[in-house]
Each structure stands twice: as C-alpha cells, then as structure tokens.
Amino acid sequence: MIVLLIIVLSYWLYVLTIYGRYNLRFWQYFRQALIISVARFTNTLAIIVGSVLATVLLVIFPALSLIALVPLYLAPTVWFSYQSCLHVEAVLHYAA
C-alpha cells in the first residue's frame, strides 16, 4: 500500500507541467504524467529532495513562508518536470 501511495504521489508531481505543456484529453494527462515520472526517475527524486529542502528552509526560517512559500515548492517541481518532458520528447523524436 505504501509503494502504491509513493507511485501515485510521484506522478501527481508532473500533472501541473503536463497540463500546461500538452493539449490532451482528461485521462491522457494522468497517463502521460505516469509515463514521464517513470521515464526520468532521477528527476522525480530531485523533485522530492527539492520539496524536502524547501520544507527544511521554511522550518528554519518561518518568515520565508510569508514571501516565498509557493515559489520554494514550485521551482524544483516545475523545473525538473519540464526537463523530464524535454527528455521524453527528445527520445520520441529520435525514435521516430
């Protein structure tokens, strides 16, 4: 059950970028997010580490939550998920 929870949470990290980058039908967003999260597992780990570091920063410096709460969490998520999208697109382009 814990493994399933980790898989679901890891692909939810990509849904925002997939939604902004592609024009798909509703269920295809989730399928694409799952494919990209598995294809670039190192970037998924980087997103998780970035979120943990953002949490540590907010615990150490609580004043940051007033001015930088959202950017601290979204910066690593969007950056690494975008890089994963570019990698998958390059692989598909190379294969075609």
Side-chain angles (χ1 to χ4, degrees):
M1 196 70 164
I2 293 174
V3 173
L4 183 63
L5 178 68
I6 291 170
I7 291 170
V8 169
L9 289 176
S10 70
Y11 94 88
W12 270 104
L13 295 171
Y14 289 90
V15 171
L16 178 67
T17 306
I18 300 296
Y19 181 73
R21 183 147 179 90
Y22 303 112
N23 187 15
L24 303 171
R25 288 183 296 232
F26 181 73
W27 293 110
Q28 288 178 335
Y29 288 114
F30 299 109
R31 184 179 59 111
Q32 189 71 18
L34 180 64
I35 290 168
I36 291 177
S37 69
V38 172
R40 293 293 289 195
F41 190 70
T42 55
N43 284 357
T44 304
L45 289 177
I47 292 171
I48 293 169
V49 168
S51 297
V52 168
L53 289 176
T55 304
V56 168
L57 274 173
L58 290 172
V59 168
I60 293 173
F61 304 110
L64 283 177
S65 64
L66 296 174
I67 56 174
L69 179 68
V70 174
L72 278 175
Y73 283 110
L74 284 184
T77 302
V78 172
W79 172 260
F80 288 113
S81 61
Y82 178 68
Q83 295 303 318
S84 297
C85 289
L86 291 179
H87 174 75
V88 169
E89 289 171 3
V91 167
L92 289 176
H93 181 69
Y94 180 73

